[in-house]
Amino acid sequence: MSNEQHPTIGQRLRRRAWSRAGAVAAVVSKGPPRRVLAYSTRLLLLVAGSFLIAASVAVTLWTDLGPGPLDVFIGAIQARTGLPLTVAVWVTVGSLILGAWALGRRPGFGTLLSPFLIGPALQSVLAALEMFEAPTSLIVRIIFQLVAIGGIGIGAGALIVSGLGAGSGELLASAASDRVGHPESLVRPMFEATWIIAGVALGGPAGLGTVLVAVFVGPSVAKGYGLVDRFVARSVQTLANTHEAIIARELQHA
């Protein structure tokens, strides 16, 4: 009979996939990492990214220098309505998602889930931070703000690499860009300026930190995406190498 009817020991070992690590590695080592990540891994990236964003935004609120543009507006909604911070996040972000959906951009699973992770985490971390006095030195507060912006970038990078859906702000900007026919790079700053102006008018917590976030968060997200993407790619390669090592060792002892 042919070799296809009598597979070699190596072929049988590969088909058997006795090691869970080896089996996973065999799957994720093929194709672009973003497309072949196990769903649980993508979900882990989404959860980790959401919590990192929440913790970082909490730091920007704690320093009292001012959070990012959308968070200024969320703070204004909270101040005006008396809603808990978590609910204010859900109401604001939910409105953006509905607006984007109405303009033709359907939210992904991650777009819908992330606010439910960020809202409670943001309120919890901020409550923990407020047990301590914020630094009085402006330089130290700026350093904390810049570190937080870096955290937002890495968290957003994890959300992007997960591939489970864009953030609410990005989704709305993309939808509006499609409708008006202008690049998203021009539409997004207009939305951010609107959030700041409306937030300040309603009593939102804008300040120097808001300017820092507006200036540096774009490059931070690009850098964070690159870091997370490379980390995932290295992890996939490590799993692939592990799989090959397992097969080689089994062949030696076969």
Side-chain angles (χ1 to χ4, degrees), residues 35-92:
R35 297 180 183 177
V36 298
L37 283 175
Y39 193 79
S40 58
T41 304
R42 297 169 65 194
L43 187 60
L44 179 62
L45 283 171
L46 174 71
V47 172
S50 298
F51 277 106
L52 185 54
I53 290 172
S56 300
V57 172
V59 171
T60 67
L61 292 169
W62 177 64
T63 62
D64 204 28
L65 286 179
L70 182 58
D71 298 303
V72 172
F73 185 71
I74 291 172
I77 296 298
Q78 182 193 15
R80 286 284 179 171
T81 63
L83 291 170
L85 181 57
T86 297
V87 179
V89 169
W90 290 344
V91 169
T92 305

Side-chain angles (χ1 to χ4, degrees), residues 198-219:
V200 170
L202 293 172
L208 173 61
T210 306
V211 177
L212 293 175
V213 174
V215 171
F216 292 112
V217 77

Side-chain angles (χ1 to χ4, degrees), residues 30-247:
K30 300 174 183 176
R34 290 186 299 276
R35 297 180 183 177
V36 298
L37 283 175
Y39 193 79
S40 58
T41 304
R42 297 169 65 194
L43 187 60
L44 179 62
L45 283 171
L46 174 71
V47 172
S50 298
F51 277 106
L52 185 54
I53 290 172
S56 300
V57 172
V59 171
T60 67
L61 292 169
W62 177 64
T63 62
D64 204 28
L65 286 179
L70 182 58
D71 298 303
V72 172
F73 185 71
I74 291 172
I77 296 298
Q78 182 193 15
R80 286 284 179 171
T81 63
L83 291 170
L85 181 57
T86 297
V87 179
V89 169
W90 290 344
V91 169
T92 305
V93 173
S95 300
L96 299 184
I97 292 173
L98 289 175
W101 203 338
L103 291 174
R105 283 292 182 112
R106 181 175 297 181
F109 171 72
T111 309
L112 298 174
L113 177 61
S114 186
F116 289 98
L117 300 174
I118 290 176
L122 172 56
Q123 185 161 342
S124 298
V125 174
L126 181 59
L129 288 173
E130 287 177 341
M131 296 174 63
F132 307 92
E133 271 192 52
T136 55
S137 168
L138 179 61
I139 298 299
V140 175
R141 289 159 70 195
I142 289 175
I143 291 172
F144 271 105
Q145 191 83 2
L146 293 175
V147 171
I149 293 170
I152 292 172
I154 295 173
L159 296 187
I160 295 169
V161 174
S162 77
L164 294 176
S168 57
E170 290 79 7
L171 194 70
L172 180 59
S174 298
S177 174
D178 293 342
R179 283 300 181 99
V180 301
H182 293 299
E184 187 177 337
S185 58
L186 295 178
V187 175
R188 180 66 187 270
M190 294 176 62
F191 275 110
E192 292 184 344
T194 301
W195 294 329
I196 293 174
I197 293 170
V200 170
L202 293 172
L208 173 61
T210 306
V211 177
L212 293 175
V213 174
V215 171
F216 292 112
V217 77
S220 177
V221 171
K223 185 71 173 177
Y225 167 76
L227 288 172
V228 176
D229 197 42
R230 287 193 295 274
F231 172 77
V232 169
R234 284 197 299 269
S235 299
V236 169
Q237 187 58 52
T238 299
L239 286 173
N241 292 341
T242 300
H243 171 258
E244 293 303 321
I246 290 169
I247 296 299

